Amino acid sequence: MKDRTLLMIPGPIEFEPAVLGALGAPTTSHVAPEFIEAFGQALERMRKVWLCPSGQPFVIAGSGTLAMDLAGANLIEPGDKALVLSTGVFGDRFEDLLTRYGAQVTVLRAPLGGTIPLEEVETTLKDGTYKLMAFTHVDTSTGVRVDPQPLGALGRKYDVLTVLDGVCSVAGEELRQEEWGIDVALTASQKAIGVPPGLALLVAGPRAMAAWRSRKTPVGNYYVDWSKWLPIMEAYEARKPSYFGTPAVNLVCALNVSLGQILNEGMEARFVRHRKLGQACQAAIGALGLSQVPTSHEYAAFTLTAPYYPENVTGQDLLPKVKVAGAILAGGLHPQIKARYFRIGHMGTTKPGDLLATIGALEAGLLGCGFKFEPGVGVAAAQRVLLG
Ligand code: PMP
């Protein structure tokens, strides 16, 4: 029997052998020709994955929070007004982060599991004084997805920079950065991008770069200052050696392999696969009689599912049993409901069979906890969607 427990949390995810191979290969110099080629190619591929041909990609060692820091530090000057649309923990993190850089932050906070009506966003932006609007494409703490397209349009209409936290969406959920007018889209390596944790990834569009260029004050954070990193990204893309801080050589090589795989699948096919996986998982959860944190299917994410535990079942009881049955799931994260729900990740490398195995393991765990249902109903509901 294969000794393998599926890692089905909303990041880190299961990684492809070729990606892990690149990670485990002998480390080269950061100015070796083969590394320069891999880095340059990775930057070119990011534009295609983000669907942002005019964007400037940045790859910097760190986690997704560092990518958020890159956006905040480079685009905010003390006193700037920022609007944060919060659909969970990570929206709240943006409030904290932008405040550190001196922004006057207004937060529109969605009810738990809900979204913010567009009219409310527009009414707020109408006062005409906002420089930047930040929002979370998929908030991993609630499983709520917001639609970036109308927010990008509002950003254009009111001349406000839009910053999309795509840590739980980029390369999974449909995102067309340039067409939708999103100025910054950021993520981290460990989710749908399919590379072990350690890289902050960001693509900045021309309006974001122009806003940074016209700053009156220096960026108040040394490590993330684009004036340090832009020449480095440009040099690697021009296939020239350069140095500011040592790049995470093996992670960048692994990133290039994974981006190549993503583009081989194709962005359109990838969006469709994720939509199917999300809908299949949600159908399974519904068939098992569990409710979910997002209050409507309309805005339930396709990269993760966030079900509530059934009555009288706890995470401490359920999750270890699901693990024994073959799948590792994540507990809750949102402080208001942390102990009442769990999360299933299905992004990046997830295949239909992985999801069916996961739902099977969840059924085994639920039965082990004494929850009553017809065994197989969840798997059957998922399968119907996957085959439909
Ligand atoms: N934003 C979102 C939507 C996330 O899901 C996460 C990580 N779960 C982050 C930001 C922060 O990323 P990291 O943990 O890599 O710093």
Side-chain angles (χ1 to χ4, degrees):
M1 197 168 99
K2 276 195 298 180
D3 179 18
R4 177 162 178 252
T5 309
L6 282 170
L7 182 61
M8 298 296 285
I9 66 172
I13 63 160
E14 293 267 326
F15 301 116
E16 291 288 350
V19 172
L20 295 176
L23 201 65
T27 305
T28 62
S29 157
H30 59 287
V31 291
E34 62 271 31
F35 177 68
I36 293 173
E37 179 58 32
F39 204 153
Q41 201 171 44
L43 293 164
E44 288 161 1
R45 287 174 169 171
M46 278 174 69
R47 285 198 191 85
K48 295 184 179 146
V49 170
W50 270 245
L51 294 171
C52 192
S54 316
Q56 174 58 54
F58 291 89
V59 176
I60 299 177
S63 77
T65 308
L66 187 86
M68 296 169 77
D69 239 346
L70 277 161
N74 285 285
L75 296 177
I76 289 292
E77 295 191 66
D80 284 343
K81 279 185 71 178
L83 178 63
V84 170
L85 312 181
S86 179
T87 44
V89 163
F90 294 101
D92 292 352
R93 180 170 295 191
F94 249 132
E95 177 190 9
D96 190 13
L97 187 148
L98 297 175
T99 305
R100 294 291 177 94
Y101 290 112
Q104 293 174 36
V105 182
T106 304
V107 185
L108 296 181
R109 201 166 265 109
L112 182 68
T115 54
I116 300 153
L118 268 183
E119 307 76 66
E120 203 180 324
V121 178
E122 179 152 19
T123 306
T124 311
L125 291 180
K126 256 186 193 148
D127 94 357
T129 59
Y130 288 93
K131 177 177 185 184
L132 176 151
M133 172 168 69
F135 59 95
T136 318
H137 192 179
V138 168
D139 199 297
T140 323
S141 70
T142 55
V144 168
R145 178 190 55 243
V146 309
D147 184 356
Q149 191 171 8
L151 294 174
L154 283 180
R156 285 287 185 270
K157 184 170 174 188
Y158 293 102
D159 197 22
V160 174
L161 294 170
T162 44
V163 175
L164 174 147
D165 171 354
V167 174
C168 201
S169 74
V170 172
E173 300 278 356
E174 181 177 357
L175 173 64
R176 303 175 194 279
Q177 184 180 349
E178 188 150 325
E179 188 186 323
W180 292 355
I182 306 297
D183 296 303
V184 170
L186 61 92
T187 190
S189 51
Q190 75 270 17
K191 303 212 190 202
I193 290 289
V195 176
L199 291 178
L201 307 169
L202 180 148
V203 175
R207 289 198 335 151
M209 296 309 291
W212 165 72
R213 283 197 180 92
S214 63
R215 286 180 68 98
K216 293 179 185 65
T217 57
V219 171
N221 177 318
Y222 187 74
Y223 183 65
V224 302
D225 188 341
W226 283 344
S227 64
K228 306 291 182 199
W229 290 109
L230 180 59
I232 308 303
M233 300 302 136
E234 288 174 338
Y236 276 110
E237 225 179 324
R239 306 302 195 264
K240 291 188 186 131
S242 66
Y243 168 75
F244 168 59
T246 308
V249 171
N250 287 55
L251 279 167
V252 171
C253 292
L255 173 69
N256 189 37
V257 171
S258 195
L259 293 172
Q261 292 178 341
I262 289 168
L263 292 170
N264 276 345
E265 180 179 9
M267 296 317 294
E268 303 306 324
R270 209 164 163 92
F271 298 151
V272 170
R273 176 167 60 84
H274 280 82
R275 190 184 320 138
K276 234 179 196 182
L277 287 168
Q279 288 172 343
C281 191
Q282 285 155 28
I285 294 305
L288 288 167
L290 310 189
S291 57
Q292 293 166 45
V293 178
T295 47
S296 163
H297 281 295
E298 225 177 286
Y299 42 77
F302 297 138
T303 48
L304 85 152
T305 300
Y308 284 105
Y309 297 115
E311 235 175 273
N312 304 320
V313 172
T314 65
Q316 280 147 318
D317 197 11
L318 176 66
L319 299 183
K321 289 187 171 69
V322 179
K323 184 177 175 192
V324 167
I328 298 167
L329 306 182
L333 181 65
H334 196 290
Q336 244 174 285
I337 47 168
K338 197 171 162 48
R340 290 176 43 211
Y341 78 113
F342 62 105
R343 296 173 299 150
I344 307 168
H346 31 76
M347 66 184 113
T349 57
T350 303
K351 307 203 171 26
D354 299 329
L355 184 68
L356 293 173
T358 302
I359 302 299
L362 174 61
E363 287 194 2
L366 287 167
L367 286 170
C369 291
F371 181 61
K372 299 269 183 289
F373 60 95
E374 177 73 28
V377 285
V379 175
Q383 182 68 301
R384 272 194 296 276
V385 176
L386 292 169
L387 297 177

